[in-house]
Amino acid sequence: MANAQEAPPARVTVVRLSQTGHVVAALTRAAPGAAPSVRALVGDALRLAVPGLSGQILVPAELLTAEEITAPAGVLAAPWLWSVEVTETGVGAVPLTGAPPAANWSDAAGGSLTVTTSPPATSGTAVLALVHPAPSWDPGVAPKAVLTGALDGDGVARLGIGEVAPSDHALVFVQGRPAGVYVPSAVHLAAGTVT
């Protein structure tokens, strides 16, 4: 039996979150050259599936960047498992590692989302949360709030002041970690109930 060999890296156009580097879409193109603009690829927003749930959220084009990179085949097969970062060889795709961030609602400052990482990520690591109003992640619904920040020395970030309600949900991105979902209560989706 022959040894399986990994496919060589290919030129891939990725759409990623500008703040955290998370790849949200990847494609190959026949035409060489620079990547098309984000708006040419996604219009005003990208429909993004919510990890572990059957809903979607619209990610505004302003939060996204499109670029052409050399990437392993895995980026095309499962883009949500990758991030675009500056490496020793230039800009490239690296796998997301570690546990997804945890998030909870805090009534401090009138309503905020507290994001934590375990083990703690490095101080200054970028954080982005797309807050979605309850009761469900309906297709075509834009986020209620887009919250950005950075982790402190303990791997914690408090996002928003008065912008998050106890019933809100959030899709949370921490640079270098898989995406996390904050769902404070049962979410009623077309496919059933997730708690």
Side-chain angles (χ1 to χ4, degrees):
M1 181 158 91
N3 290 338
Q5 294 181 354
E6 287 188 31
R11 294 300 288 172
V12 176
T13 298
V14 294
V15 177
R16 66 176 176 90
L17 292 169
S18 303
Q19 178 85 7
T20 64
H22 287 78
V23 176
V24 292
L27 59 129
T28 59
R29 298 180 300 121
S37 71
V38 167
R39 290 200 185 273
L41 293 170
V42 305
D44 291 335
L46 172 73
R47 286 183 186 268
L48 184 63
V50 179
L53 301 175
S54 62
Q56 298 176 348
I57 190 168
L58 292 178
V59 181
E62 300 80 46
L63 300 178
L64 302 169
T65 300
E67 57 198 320
E68 188 88 1
I69 64 170
T70 299
V75 170
L76 291 169
W80 57 89
L81 300 178
W82 296 84
S83 176
V84 173
E85 296 180 14
V86 177
T87 66
E88 58 277 352
T89 57
V91 177
V94 296
L96 295 166
T97 59
N104 58 59
W105 182 80
S106 170
D107 60 4
S112 62
L113 196 67
T114 301
V115 177
T116 58
T117 55
S118 181
T122 306
S123 177
T125 298
V127 180
L128 170 89
L130 303 175
V131 179
H132 191 285
S136 66
W137 296 90
D138 294 322
V141 175
K144 167 186 166 181
V146 176
L147 308 177
T148 61
L151 297 175
D152 64 17
D154 295 322
V156 178
R158 179 165 280 128
L159 306 176
I161 299 174
E163 296 170 279
V164 184
S167 59
D168 287 341
H169 308 150
L171 185 52
V172 182
F173 300 90
V174 172
Q175 187 174 7
R177 302 283 177 105
V181 180
Y182 168 61
V183 182
S185 59
V187 182
H188 301 286
L189 302 168
T193 300
V194 177
T195 57

